[in-house]
Amino acid sequence: MARKTLETWIVESRFDGAIGAIFEMVADCAIEISVALRVASSAGDTGAAQAINVQGEVQKKLDVVANDIFLRRGEASGVLAAMVSEELDDIELVAGAGNAHHALVFDPLDGSSNLEINGAVGSIFSVLDLGKSSGITTADVLQPGKKQVAAGYALYGPATVLVLTTGQAVTVFSLDEASAEFVMVRDKVEIPQEAAEFAINASRQTRWYAPTRGFIDACLAGKSGPFGKSYNMRWCAAMVADLHRILCRGGVFLYPEDEDTKEKGGRLRLLYEVNPMSMIVEAAGGASSTGTERLLEIEPSSLHQRIGIIIGSRGEVERAKSFY
């Protein structure tokens, strides 16, 4: 494959409206966050910030840093009317938005509990067309995932990787640190329809509902079980890392509602984790579900709504759904 930068890809793709500019802005955020992670690591500054976010979770210092980077660059981009973050109570309206009518909905640093062990973390984002540039309210942002106009994530690991989609195809870029440019490494990614890996937080086993337990038991039964094959288990404790593995080689990721999370509706956040990841996976030929409903069809009820998720290779998701 001839070397193609993100900038060249955006020009050749001829995206409508502000989408190309939003992709470039997110890429700049990813580069800055990648540097911040490395600086913080060498300074031994990856611990908690002694603050609690809107989710009731202890913030890491780098959660705050990453969030501030997205807010600063988003406000300066000139192509956003609003932003919604895991770390904010409410919508952040962009002053002087002009005719901008898109919202960026994002988790600035997914998996931040991995920071203290030098584990993989990431940033997840979704782009919504609000249809207006003023008078924006929460109701304008509460759109089902099928209305997303773009989504993506950055994965900060051995390399910094950027994955983007507008729903038609999925393209993967890797950061060339020498030139500070993202370079395309894969285009039109397709997730294998079948695989033999699952990812789930097994420490919650005693709290799982019967369908979840039934599916995992069937996977663990190996070749003598109902699926006729041996499965491996993988768990990175960062949704971005687990889903990137599935994007590359297939598998299924589960974080379903269970006895401990049923009052909240699940563990992961619908707007800025589940919806963008579902858009990416479906654009690559995979599937995502609660077990009974397609996730991209669900009408959100609040900015920080949580939900259960089964996502990955289409055949594996269908196997899991059969238990629900």
Side-chain angles (χ1 to χ4, degrees):
M1 180 188 298
R3 179 184 170 96
K4 181 180 292 186
T5 65
L6 172 66
E7 182 178 357
T8 299
W9 175 78
I10 288 172
V11 171
E12 291 180 354
S13 298
R14 298 181 179 179
F15 294 117
D16 293 335
I19 300 304
I22 293 173
F23 282 163
E24 289 185 317
M25 182 271 294
V26 169
D28 289 340
C29 289
I31 293 172
E32 189 173 349
I33 291 169
S34 178
V35 172
L37 292 172
R38 284 161 174 72
V39 170
S41 178
S42 63
D45 196 21
T46 57
Q50 305 304 318
I52 305 296
N53 67 12
V54 66
Q55 310 293 330
E57 299 168 340
V58 176
Q59 288 179 311
K60 299 292 184 181
K61 294 175 184 178
L62 287 163
D63 283 320
V64 179
V65 170
N67 191 63
D68 288 347
I69 288 170
F70 268 98
L71 292 178
R72 171 169 47 81
R73 288 190 175 275
E75 289 172 357
S77 69
V79 291
L80 295 176
M83 290 180 283
V84 180
S85 167
E86 175 180 355
E87 305 299 333
L88 301 177
D89 291 341
D90 208 344
I91 297 173
E92 180 88 0
L93 298 179
V94 178
N99 294 323
H101 52 86
H102 289 93
L104 187 75
V105 184
F106 60 95
D107 179 352
L109 202 59
D110 173 67
S112 57
S113 61
N114 280 345
L115 288 169
E116 294 176 47
I117 60 163
N118 197 33
V121 294
S123 302
I124 310 171
F125 75 94
S126 169
V127 182
L128 302 174
D129 189 341
L130 304 177
K132 59 184 179 180
S133 55
S134 61
I136 296 166
T137 67
T138 297
D140 296 312
V141 177
L142 297 180
Q143 300 182 18
K146 64 184 180 181
K147 290 190 175 182
Q148 295 172 108
V149 294
Y153 63 81
L155 173 63
Y156 313 108
T160 297
V161 174
L162 183 65
V163 175
L164 302 173
T165 189
T166 55
Q168 305 306 310
V170 176
T171 307
V172 181
F173 301 85
S174 184
L175 179 61
D176 178 346
E177 295 194 0
S179 63
E181 293 178 308
F182 277 102
V183 179
M184 181 192 293
V185 292
R186 293 184 68 187
D187 194 18
K188 296 181 174 60
V189 178
E190 293 187 9
I191 298 173
Q193 295 298 296
E194 304 283 336
E197 288 185 344
F198 68 89
I200 193 168
N201 186 349
S203 69
R204 307 184 69 86
Q205 182 175 2
T206 60
R207 313 305 295 159
W208 289 342
Y209 295 155
T212 305
R213 189 175 298 109
F215 173 68
I216 298 302
D217 286 347
C219 291
L220 295 174
K223 292 182 179 179
S224 63
F227 302 154
K229 58 183 176 179
S230 297
Y231 281 75
N232 289 323
M233 177 181 158
R234 298 288 184 264
W235 183 250
C236 297
M239 188 187 192
V240 169
D242 280 308
L243 265 293
H244 189 70
R245 182 186 62 252
I246 288 170
L247 192 71
C248 292
R249 68 187 193 198
V252 61
F253 171 94
L254 302 94
Y255 216 128
E257 179 186 316
D258 59 24
E259 293 292 345
D260 284 342
T261 62
K262 63 182 178 183
E263 290 186 6
K264 295 181 178 180
R267 170 68 178 172
L268 300 181
R269 289 75 172 182
L270 177 61
L271 284 183
Y272 40 83
E273 292 176 324
V274 170
N275 275 349
M277 285 302 196
S278 296
M279 183 183 193
I280 293 164
V281 167
E282 288 201 8
S288 63
S289 174
T290 62
T292 58
E293 298 177 86
R294 180 185 177 222
L295 280 160
L296 292 180
E297 299 282 349
I298 292 173
E299 297 280 347
S301 59
S302 65
L303 292 178
H304 301 292
Q305 179 181 349
R306 300 181 188 233
I307 201 162
I309 181 172
I310 303 168
I311 184 170
S313 295
R314 184 167 295 277
E316 304 306 323
V317 172
E318 291 300 322
R319 285 190 176 97
K321 284 170 56 179
S322 70
F323 286 80
Y324 290 79

